[in-house]
């Protein structure tokens, strides 16, 4: 049985690790450095909190440098860390290794694949929700689904059965890029505005014209990028998501309010860069990016 190496014991990485370990899969966490490893060892494992019930999982961990050659890896860091992590990972992968990329947005996956030519990289798009209330603890905050694929019409890998055993809801799809683009467009419509207006998602119902204009430009971008299906009914879905998540703060809003780096370069930044590359004039999307960058700069947060 191949070991599930999980790099990044953050929110999603821990959520996957705990469920796979609970199902009897062999799991090993790859932590950032010796200091993080020592801290983890003091905690003695990960704690997954589901429906207020904590359960402890003493999952083995090591650093990348000390890890045995890797056949299967779940890359569970943020998009902005993934390319540099992939460079470090390359010498530790066996030929034909399988790497699953959990990063939100677009752009990091191509950078990772370029750094790992010997691996089969697979992309994921997840609507599951998790957060860390304390070190080495993760709260399973929102049931969801994970779509997986490699961007080609290739057969599903055998390890999908492990996800069934671990009760990780998933679907293998040939259209993973369409999923990622659609999610990126939803994110571009909702998250930056929620930061700029400093509101919960429901607060965006006060700005229907801005949402409609943004969705129109995002749909143009999707169609120009060969993703016409992802452009269908975009505004209607944005409104549905806003209503369904009215009481929540968007992930970007949470990052900014905690003074943490955002994934802007892989979301709105990627959208604007693609528009520029295709000589598409999307003035509202570009103005939104500029306002968001100014907002981040004013708070001393990275612009990328
Ligand atoms: P997170 O909680 O910040 O976790 C990221 C983890 O990566 C951290 O534990 C960090 O380690 C680790 N890391 C970074 N560089 C590393 C390195 N060189 N070696 C080892 N570990 C390293 O992030 P997340 O919320 O799980 O998000 C991961 C991705 O999933 C993001 O792209 C996010 O947008 C996406 N996503 C998240 C959710 C969610 O609900 N959380 C839902 C859907 C999609 P340290 O702990 O040492 O900093």
């Amino acid at each position: 049985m191949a070991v599930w190496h999980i790099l990044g014991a953050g929110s999603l990485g821990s959520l996957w690790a705990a469920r796979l370990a609970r199902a009897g899969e062999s799991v090993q966490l790859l932590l950032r450095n010796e200091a993080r490893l020592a801290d983890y060892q003091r905690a003695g494992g990960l704690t997954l909190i589901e429906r207020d019930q904590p359960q402890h999982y003493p999952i083995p961990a090591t650093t990348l440098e000390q890890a045995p050659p890797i056949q299967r890896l779940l890359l569970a860091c943020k998009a902005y860390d993934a390319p540099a992590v992939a460079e470090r990972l390359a010498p530790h992968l066996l030929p034909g290794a399988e790497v699953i990329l959990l990063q939100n947005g677009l752009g990091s996956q191509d950078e990772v694949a370029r750094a790992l030519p010997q691996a089969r990289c697979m992309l994921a798009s997840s609507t599951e929700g998790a957060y860390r209330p304390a070190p080495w603890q993760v709260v399973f905050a929102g049931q969801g689904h994970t779509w997986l694929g490699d961007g080609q019409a290739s057969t599903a890998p055998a390890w999908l059965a492990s996800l069934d055993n671990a009760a990780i809801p998933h679907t293998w799809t040939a259209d993973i890029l369409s999923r990622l683009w659609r999610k990126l467009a939803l994110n571009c419509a909702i998250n930056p505005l929620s930061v700029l207006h400093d509101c919960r998602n429901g607060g965006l119902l006060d700005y229907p014209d801005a949402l409609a204009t943004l969705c129109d430009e995002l749909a143009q971008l999707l169609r120009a990028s060969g993703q016409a299906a992802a452009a269908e009914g975009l505004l209607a879905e944005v409104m549905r998501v806003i209503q369904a998540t009215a009481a929540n703060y968007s992930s970007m809003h949470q990052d900014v309010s905690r003074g943490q780096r955002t994934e802007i370069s892989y979301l709105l930044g990627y959208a604007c860069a693609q528009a520029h590359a295709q000589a598409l004039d999307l003035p509202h999307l570009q103005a939104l990016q500029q306002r968001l960058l100014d907002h981040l700069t004013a708070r001393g947060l990275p612009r990328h």
Side-chain angles (χ1 to χ4, degrees), residues 79-285:
Y80 48 73
D81 283 325
V85 168
E87 298 279 347
R88 284 181 52 207
L89 187 60
H92 300 275
L93 294 183
L94 288 166
E98 298 174 302
V99 180
I100 305 155
L101 310 179
L102 269 187
Q103 286 63 47
N104 206 0
L106 280 163
S108 73
Q109 299 90 343
D110 285 342
E111 294 180 58
V112 169
R114 272 197 295 277
L116 303 176
Q118 75 278 44
R120 179 184 183 196
C121 288
M122 287 162 272
L123 319 183
S125 179
S126 180
T127 59
E128 293 193 314
Y131 65 90
R132 289 185 285 176
W136 315 117
Q137 293 190 7
V138 58
V139 174
F140 193 178
Q143 304 282 330
H145 198 88
T146 302
W147 282 267
L148 298 147
D150 58 7
Q152 292 151 25
S154 49
T155 43
W159 49 255
L160 285 189
S162 303
L163 305 193
D164 287 329
N165 293 340
I168 297 175
H170 66 278
T171 304
W172 180 260
T173 172
D175 284 335
I176 189 66
L177 280 175
S178 176
R179 289 265 164 205
L180 285 161
W181 269 105
R182 178 73 164 200
K183 191 165 179 218
L184 178 137
L186 291 167
N187 187 298
C188 288
I190 296 172
N191 293 21
L193 281 182
S194 76
V195 170
L196 293 169
H197 293 296
D198 191 13
C199 64
R200 295 176 197 268
N201 289 351
L204 296 181
L205 294 172
D206 292 343
Y207 307 98
D209 295 346
L211 290 168
T213 310
L214 281 176
C215 285
D216 182 56
E217 291 192 358
L218 286 162
Q220 289 180 50
L221 173 62
L222 291 169
R223 285 191 288 268
S225 305
Q227 298 294 338
E232 289 293 315
L234 182 60
L235 177 60
E237 189 172 356
V238 164
M239 301 312 283
R240 267 200 305 279
V241 170
I242 287 175
Q243 270 151 0
T245 61
N248 299 355
Y249 284 109
S250 72
S251 54
M252 192 177 273
H253 187 287
Q254 292 176 39
D255 287 338
V256 172
S257 56
R258 291 187 198 127
Q260 288 173 355
R261 185 173 174 184
T262 68
E263 293 183 302
I264 178 173
S265 295
Y266 299 93
L267 297 164
L268 185 55
Y270 183 85
C272 289
Q274 288 299 309
H276 182 74
Q278 297 177 59
L280 264 184
D281 186 26
L282 303 178
H284 294 87
L285 207 59

